[in-house]
Amino acid sequence: MNIVQKNLKLLRVHDPILADRLKDVNGGVLKVLTAKNGMPTAQVHQQWIHSAYDPWKEAQAWAEHAVHEHRSGEALLTIGVGLLYHVEALTQILSKETQILVLVPDLGELLDVLTVRSLAGWGEQIQWLWGDAEDLADRVSQAYSRIRFVHHAPSAVLHEPYVRAFQYALRERVSSKQGGKLHVAVVGPIYGGSLSVTNHVVPALEALGHRVTWIDHSIHYPGYKNLERLRDQQLRMTMQSKFGDTLGVVSLAHIADDPPDLVLAMAQAPLSMPVLEQLRKKNVVTAMWFVENFRHLTYWQQVASGYDFWFVMQQEACIDALTHAGARQVTYLPLAANPAIHKPVTSCLEEHEEFGADVSFLGAGYPNRRQLLQTLLNQDWSFKLWGNEWENPGPLAVALQRNGARIDSETSVKIFNHTKVNINLHSFTGHGFDPDGDGINPRTFELAACGAFQIIDTRTLLSQHFDETMLAILQKPEDLVPTIQRYVYDTDERQGMAEASRQHVLAHHTYVHRMEALLGTVGLHMSDRIGEVLRGDRSTDALVAKSKGNPELIPMVNALPHSDRVELQDVAANIRAKGPTAVLSRDELLILMMDEYRQETRDFI
């Protein structure tokens, strides 16, 4: 019996269907070579999956690091197959009771392993996850409530689309099961595009039932703006930096006053690395939703390692850059719409006269827009240009509305609704379309939610969210005018596509959907506390069930209101309510001592 047959025999005991399926699979995914120490190692496209010198020693070091934050009771889900040295190393470190799951995107890769490495003595501990990503997500979400992901980067990268689909599907299923409620502190920016996103994030979290503390730094914008009057550029930049540092300390003060479960910072929030390090010392979980182009705004390089979670609107290049800069966990999270604001509206004749047009564009005056939009002048349709940063507009001055004033959300919705064809060109500092264009701007989702028809320039991530039955997609700049000519007079087709995009956004792309996904990701990776709260494991009933081994706790928990969450401070407050003359049990005194210690450690500043 050769090594493959022995491995298949072992597999058949635990997963007979997988063993039978492997008989019909071809290998050759990995190029198996011999390392300097004589052990098998592997390459794919000349990239080493394991060490060319000592793959086992390398795997042991990886495993020691991977299990650093693992907690008892968590299933460990390994992303990346390779030759499974890293998985075998995990089995030597973890207890036999720990459930180790291995995601297998390609059965041919697993067959390559079975050809050169024996599973005997450790493979019995592994549960293999293979097959359709959606089906796997269903099974895993039902079978495991506490999961910690570990990535073996060299092998995980081989199957990024499959891994991404699985993680996205699993996150969606976990987020849909949120039963408990968090306290989230949202730290907004002083100004900028992410401020409007913050205005949508806060009500979305509240709509999900979470308690939100909004640390709104936009109220400090006049003071920040006033510093621009300083003529010395170096002095101005120094003072603006110190101003931001001060607001970081202000954020700490708010957090210390009412400690949250999660601090969610929006792009350009004034949280410096020292502030983030202080939050980490106090075990406060932090996340950043970076709704900016990472190529244009690069301050993320200074704080990448400071956040526990990064959520970004771009994929491969952005995720790789942040990971390389020290980010722990980076997840793609696109922008969205707020149906309470972005919706179809009707208006009076006066508003229709101001906002109505055959063709409109709303946005800032980037170079590519200045160039392309000039082609819309002197056509047989009406064209209006809205937005700010259109200084020296040149020929476009005849189309510019309100002298280039900034347009608020309410007005933008009116513009979208009163325009036959909305042009949505992503910003680019060069000519034409951005060759690296990937992330989708918020206007894409907002236009769709309004039931407004739009023509959009192509983006690499666009097909993940919309198709050509919903949007008119430009592949090259010279297609802009002909595409407008096709749709501007075809009311039925425009309205049909606009309604399809609207229904799609309402079903999949609102800020409520995004916050469910964000918290689902945090819950998966922080399963020991936040995950418990989100699952409802901190409810009165759940805690009573957990207290069967400590029956003295049951009366104290049962005395509390039956809610979706109970904390130590709630139990302590109930005990204190008995009054200063009450005779307390030993367990009640211990609870009070623990709560006193909790309060004494809130010295954030």
Side-chain angles (χ1 to χ4, degrees):
M1 186 179 294
N2 61 32
I3 187 172
V4 176
Q5 292 170 328
K6 290 179 181 178
N7 282 329
L8 289 176
K9 182 179 179 180
L10 185 150
L11 271 178
R12 189 168 286 106
V13 175
H14 303 284
D15 195 335
I17 298 176
L18 174 59
D20 289 338
R21 181 66 63 85
L22 284 166
K23 289 181 178 180
D24 303 320
V25 170
N26 295 318
V29 176
L30 304 176
K31 181 180 180 181
V32 179
L33 303 168
T34 302
K36 295 292 186 182
N37 68 348
M39 301 180 75
T41 188
Q43 281 186 341
V44 173
H45 304 309
Q46 298 185 331
Q47 297 296 316
W48 290 101
I49 306 302
H50 300 287
S51 170
Y53 297 91
D54 191 338
W56 178 242
K57 183 178 180 180
E58 176 192 60
Q60 288 176 309
W62 175 90
E64 290 284 353
H65 177 76
V67 302
H68 180 67
E69 295 182 351
H70 178 259
R71 300 291 182 268
S72 176
E74 292 176 337
L76 204 67
L77 199 161
T78 305
I79 306 294
V81 176
L83 291 181
L84 294 176
Y85 285 113
H86 53 293
V87 178
E88 182 180 359
L90 287 176
T91 66
Q92 293 197 355
I93 296 174
L94 298 168
S95 69
K96 299 291 185 183
E97 290 73 32
T98 302
Q99 294 170 306
I100 302 176
L101 319 177
V102 177
L103 184 67
V104 184
D106 188 334
L107 293 182
E109 186 179 8
L110 181 56
L111 183 63
D112 289 338
V113 181
L114 304 185
T115 304
V116 296
R117 299 204 63 238
S118 173
L119 301 182
W122 62 275
E124 301 87 347
Q125 292 180 243
I126 308 304
Q127 179 175 341
W128 309 96
L129 304 179
W130 58 281
D132 180 76
E134 295 274 345
D135 292 340
L136 274 183
D138 281 333
R139 285 161 39 200
V140 171
S141 65
Q142 292 170 17
Y144 305 96
S145 61
R146 301 180 62 188
I147 304 170
R148 188 170 296 273
F149 287 86
V150 289
H151 287 73
H152 182 252
S155 54
V157 75
L158 302 180
H159 308 286
E160 279 189 353
Y162 180 93
V163 171
R164 191 182 306 123
F166 167 74
Q167 290 186 306
Y168 180 82
L170 181 58
R171 182 182 68 182
E172 294 299 295
R173 283 150 181 79
V174 171
S175 65
S176 69
K177 295 180 179 179
Q178 292 176 18
K181 307 307 175 186
L182 299 177
H183 173 204
V184 183
V186 177
V187 184
I190 304 171
Y191 68 100
S194 62
L195 179 58
S196 62
V197 178
T198 311
N199 281 303
H200 304 313
V201 163
V202 170
L205 287 167
E206 291 174 337
L208 291 168
H210 302 290
R211 182 164 72 91
V212 182
T213 299
W214 183 4
I215 304 174
D216 182 9
H217 290 302
S218 66
I219 61 175
H220 304 293
Y221 179 64
Y224 182 87
K225 183 73 173 175
N226 191 51
L227 294 174
E228 292 184 0
R229 297 170 62 184
L230 295 172
R231 287 175 294 180
D232 186 308
Q233 181 181 5
Q234 187 63 41
L235 176 61
R236 181 173 69 250
M237 293 176 63
T238 300
M239 293 306 298
Q240 287 177 332
S241 175
K242 290 184 179 297
F243 192 96
D245 290 342
T246 300
L247 294 187
V249 177
V250 170
S251 300
L252 273 181
H254 284 289
I255 293 166
D257 187 55
D258 188 9
D261 303 299
L262 170 69
V263 171
L264 173 58
M266 302 303 295
Q268 299 193 61
L271 298 184
S272 63
M273 198 63 189
V275 169
L276 293 170
E277 288 172 348
Q278 182 70 354
L279 290 173
R280 182 165 291 166
K281 286 179 183 177
K282 296 301 177 181
N283 297 316
V284 176
V285 181
T286 56
M288 159 64 80
W289 193 8
F290 188 70
V291 290
E292 304 278 11
N293 188 325
F294 83 104
R295 297 182 179 93
H296 298 165
L297 292 178
T298 58
Y299 65 86
W300 52 266
Q301 296 172 348
Q302 282 72 52
V303 292
S305 62
Y307 289 96
D308 297 303
F309 296 90
W310 281 82
F311 295 90
V312 296
M313 56 174 278
Q314 297 163 283
Q315 282 192 354
E316 283 88 354
C318 178
I319 292 172
D320 289 346
L322 274 160
T323 302
H324 183 73
R328 297 180 170 193
Q329 174 70 34
V330 190
T331 303
Y332 173 59
L333 190 70
L335 284 154
N338 180 355
I341 295 174
H342 308 118
K343 58 187 178 182
V345 297
T346 57
S347 58
C348 62
L349 179 61
E350 182 180 338
E351 287 182 326
H352 185 78
E353 289 178 351
E354 179 181 5
F355 302 119
D358 292 326
V359 182
S360 290
F361 175 81
L362 168 59
Y366 278 81
N368 67 320
R369 294 168 174 172
R370 291 174 180 263
Q371 172 206 15
L372 287 172
L373 294 178
Q374 288 188 39
T375 64
L376 308 190
L377 300 173
N378 304 314
Q379 300 283 352
D380 59 350
W381 57 66
S382 60
F383 171 55
K384 291 183 178 179
L385 176 61
W386 303 85
N388 58 328
E389 298 181 26
W390 289 96
E391 295 79 7
N392 303 315
L396 289 169
V398 298
L400 187 62
Q401 307 297 301
R402 294 189 176 182
N403 295 316
R406 180 179 291 275
I407 302 300
D408 59 26
S409 293
E410 182 181 359
T411 305
S412 69
V413 169
K414 292 178 181 178
I415 295 168
F416 297 159
N417 275 276
H418 289 86
T419 298
K420 292 180 180 178
V421 175
N422 289 276
I423 307 302
N424 183 7
L425 294 176
H426 286 76
S427 60
F428 180 43
T429 54
H431 292 299
F433 298 166
D434 185 350
D436 297 317
D438 46 8
I440 306 169
N441 63 22
R443 192 174 300 113
T444 308
F445 302 98
E446 294 165 3
L447 280 161
C450 287
F453 177 79
Q454 63 178 299
I455 296 176
I456 184 172
D457 54 316
T458 186
R459 310 287 284 181
T460 57
L461 296 177
L462 188 61
S463 62
Q464 293 189 22
H465 307 294
F466 296 92
D467 60 41
E468 292 188 347
T469 67
M470 306 170 192
L471 313 174
I473 303 172
L474 301 175
Q475 299 300 327
K476 52 186 185 296
E478 51 266 33
D479 290 340
L480 177 58
V481 171
T483 304
I484 294 174
Q485 289 173 334
R486 172 184 171 182
Y487 289 104
V488 71
Y489 302 117
D490 192 337
T491 303
D492 290 342
E493 188 169 13
R494 284 200 322 270
Q495 290 179 347
M497 294 172 69
E499 181 59 21
S501 66
R502 179 172 182 269
Q503 294 302 325
H504 183 67
V505 164
L506 295 180
H508 303 286
H509 298 302
T510 69
Y511 281 98
V512 169
H513 290 116
R514 297 298 184 252
M515 290 303 99
E516 284 181 329
L518 185 148
L519 295 179
T521 298
V522 173
L524 277 174
H525 291 267
M526 303 296 295
S527 54
D528 49 339
R529 174 171 172 75
I530 290 182
E532 284 186 350
V533 175
L534 288 171
R535 290 193 305 271
D537 293 348
R538 291 295 183 99
S539 68
T540 305
D541 292 340
L543 290 175
V544 168
K546 287 182 178 181
S547 300
K548 290 179 179 178
N550 304 95
E552 63 275 7
L553 296 176
I554 294 177
M556 287 188 276
V557 176
N558 260 333
L560 296 166
H562 282 245
S563 62
D564 58 18
R565 180 170 181 181
V566 174
E567 293 292 339
L568 172 67
Q569 63 197 47
D570 301 320
V571 181
N574 212 41
I575 295 170
R576 291 191 182 98
K578 294 183 178 182
T581 61
V583 178
L584 303 180
S585 68
R586 175 179 176 276
D587 299 300
E588 289 174 321
L589 290 170
L590 286 173
I591 292 289
L592 293 180
M593 289 175 60
M594 291 168 64
D595 188 57
E596 289 290 337
Y597 176 75
R598 177 191 65 81
Q599 294 187 56
E600 289 174 3
T601 56
R602 285 170 48 182
D603 53 337
F604 283 75
I605 301 175

